[in-house]
Amino acid sequence: MVLLDLDRPLKKQGPFDLVLHKLTDIMAAATAGDEWSRQAEDRVETYFKGQPGLTVLDPLDAVRTLTDRNVCYNLMRDCSCTHAGVETSSPDFVTILDDTVDKAAALREGSVDFPVVCKPLVAHGSDLAHKMCIIFNEDGLKDIQTPCVAQQFVNHNALLFKVFVIGDTHHIVQRPSIKNLEAGEHKTIFFDSHDISKATSDNYLTQRDGKLSPYRPNEDAISLLVKRLRKSLSLALFGVDVIIERGTFRHMFIDINYFPGYDGMPGMFDALTQLMQTELSCLEPSRKKALLDETDSQPVLLSSTGGDSDRSESHIAAAAPVQNGVLREKSETRCSSESSPRLTNGEVSKNGVLPHSSVVGDGNSDAVTSKRGVSNGHPASDLEPVQSGIKGKS
């Protein structure tokens, strides 16, 4: 076991074959102006760029996509698909950057109806990322904290399906979720998403009507969604929050998280080990033979907490063949059942519109909208009760 210290140059601690990390909190803190986090992120990124043969799970540029909900939600929308009559898509949303925006007009332009779930634009890095609210009417728009994403609330019988992805393997775990709600003269509800979707959650917002029939997600539709997300995001380690719309059976994916806790996924460590072994097995034949000639050691997992414990909960780890305490370098080749091109965020067009989006408000792009397609699903009443966990191959 080797401790990787983010306060020290990584070059003196390597070289490595493979680095496994969770640096989302450090990335978000760096963006927010924290100097130690900025320096740590710079050191890590500089080291990665200087090691062309290093495999990183996952690439930092791809991970950054999930730290900004506007960028992430646009990519989610682009991954919508239909399989065997089951539509899988993401809810309509608008991104509101500041309080100068006419929020009611922005929602109308984006085809977002009440109730609306408002989420901070930054998706990782602090407790604030999980502080959300549900707004039921125009009067409640005064409660919006900008910048934020205002996403259409979709009734789903208080059931959430967390799809945990590790490489080519995924597993579905059922969790509690917010009960069915309707627009009206209701006060804004503020909540922490961490308090809603845990297996042990006991919250008034998750109280289900006992007469409601539970749903079973369509495994083939989920597998297709996971495959499309992996290709679009260039990520191997992530979780997708999926709900099933009441009455239509439309599968709606409402959020994506990088390297989640995988709570409730059996064999998680085996799947993670297999993923790393698959990556390491991509060594060019000549290099693989050279390594085998040099050492009989097996790949090892090295893990640590980045920096001081009170600075961040992010983790960084590495796996590599070892000989006399030296970690060997590795070829850049990535292994996968299908190619996963590097993610590009796209360019802002000449009128300030993000890719596949339309501007609401003034010419400074204060609000950006995204629209979903037409529903095409099956009545939930035709489905069997859901199991607590469903495994599959993406």
Side-chain angles (χ1 to χ4, degrees):
M1 185 71 68
V2 176
L3 180 67
L4 297 181
D5 185 353
L6 297 186
D7 283 312
R8 294 176 50 226
L10 290 179
K11 189 172 183 178
K12 294 183 179 180
Q13 304 175 61
F16 307 110
D17 280 329
L18 181 150
V19 171
L20 172 71
H21 73 90
K22 183 171 183 180
L23 296 174
T24 47
D25 286 357
I26 287 178
M27 290 177 176
T31 301
D34 181 76
E35 184 61 21
W36 180 89
S37 297
R38 186 192 63 78
Q39 292 180 8
E41 182 182 21
D42 286 348
R43 283 193 295 270
V44 170
E45 190 156 27
T46 298
Y47 176 76
F48 288 173
K49 290 180 178 179
Q51 304 294 317
L54 177 66
T55 294
V56 180
L57 289 177
D58 279 303
L60 296 184
D61 285 343
V63 174
R64 284 193 185 95
T65 302
L66 300 189
T67 66
D68 184 318
R69 282 194 168 100
N70 176 64
V71 176
C72 179
Y73 285 12
N74 273 287
L75 284 170
M76 285 166 54
R77 193 261 343 278
D78 291 342
C79 289
S80 299
C81 54
T82 300
H83 179 82
V86 178
E87 180 188 344
T88 305
S89 59
S90 56
D92 291 342
F93 74 94
V94 296
T95 298
I96 303 174
L97 299 182
D98 60 50
D99 290 331
T100 65
V101 175
D102 183 335
K103 301 178 182 65
L107 295 179
R108 288 192 295 270
E109 180 66 21
S111 300
V112 178
D113 300 321
F114 294 108
V116 173
V117 183
C118 292
K119 309 176 184 182
L121 195 62
V122 177
H124 293 277
S126 71
D127 291 339
L128 180 63
H130 306 283
K131 302 295 184 183
M132 305 180 183
C133 68
I134 302 174
I135 295 174
F136 296 89
N137 49 62
E138 287 196 14
D139 184 60
L141 294 177
K142 66 180 184 299
D143 297 321
I144 287 181
Q145 299 290 317
T146 58
C148 74
V149 169
Q151 187 182 62
Q152 176 76 60
F153 179 81
V154 177
N155 282 321
H156 52 283
N157 290 359
L159 290 178
L160 174 72
F161 301 97
K162 286 192 169 291
V163 183
F164 295 132
V165 180
I166 300 179
D168 290 333
T169 300
H170 70 268
H171 185 81
I172 305 173
V173 176
Q174 179 179 305
R175 293 286 179 79
S177 187
I178 297 175
K179 62 186 178 181
N180 295 334
L181 300 170
E182 303 296 338
E185 297 305 312
H186 311 299
K187 291 184 178 179
T188 299
I189 295 176
F190 298 90
F191 67 97
D192 188 315
S193 60
H194 277 162
D195 297 333
I196 298 298
S197 59
K198 291 182 180 179
T200 57
S201 292
D202 183 16
N203 189 293
Y204 78 99
L205 280 176
T206 64
Q207 294 175 356
R208 299 182 68 246
D209 184 339
K211 298 178 182 180
L212 296 175
S213 299
Y215 295 149
R216 177 194 295 276
N218 183 292
E219 173 58 29
D220 290 339
I222 295 296
S223 294
L224 179 59
L225 171 64
V226 169
K227 187 174 296 186
R228 291 174 67 92
L229 287 172
R230 281 206 66 198
K231 184 175 182 179
S232 177
L233 298 172
S234 294
L235 295 174
L237 299 165
F238 61 93
V240 188
D241 290 345
V242 177
I243 60 176
I244 300 177
E245 186 174 28
R246 180 185 64 179
T248 69
F249 194 56
R250 178 165 48 184
H251 289 34
M252 310 291 290
F253 49 112
I254 58 175
D255 241 320
I256 305 177
N257 302 291
Y258 178 65
F259 211 150
Y262 293 101
D263 185 26
M265 178 176 180
M268 177 268 183
F269 286 106
D270 289 341
L272 184 57
T273 300
Q274 180 61 50
L275 172 64
M276 291 190 294
Q277 290 176 340
T278 299
E279 295 287 344
L280 291 172
S281 72
C282 289
L283 285 169
E284 296 174 358
S286 59
R287 285 192 46 73
K288 186 182 295 185
K289 183 179 185 303
L291 284 175
L292 291 175
D293 289 343
E294 293 173 4
T295 178
D296 293 328
S297 300
Q298 297 296 315
V300 296
L301 174 66
L302 315 171
S303 63
S304 75
T305 300
D308 295 341
S309 60
D310 61 344
R311 283 174 172 161
S312 173
E313 295 181 355
S314 299
H315 299 279
I316 184 167
V322 175
Q323 180 191 22
N324 298 326
V326 178
L327 303 180
R328 298 296 178 181
E329 192 179 20
K330 178 184 179 297
S331 169
E332 188 178 18
T333 307
R334 296 256 341 232
C335 282
S336 177
S337 57
E338 63 177 78
S339 61
S340 297
R342 295 292 184 187
L343 175 71
T344 58
N345 289 336
E347 299 178 353
V348 178
S349 66
K350 61 183 180 181
N351 62 353
V353 181
L354 290 175
H356 308 294
S357 301
S358 58
V359 174
V360 177
D362 62 24
N364 294 320
S365 305
D366 289 327
V368 180
T369 73
S370 176
K371 301 181 181 180
R372 68 176 179 230
V374 179
S375 171
N376 179 18
H378 298 302
S381 58
D382 295 338
L383 305 174
E384 299 177 11
V386 70
Q387 304 297 320
S388 59
I390 303 171
K391 289 191 283 188
K393 287 286 186 180
S394 2

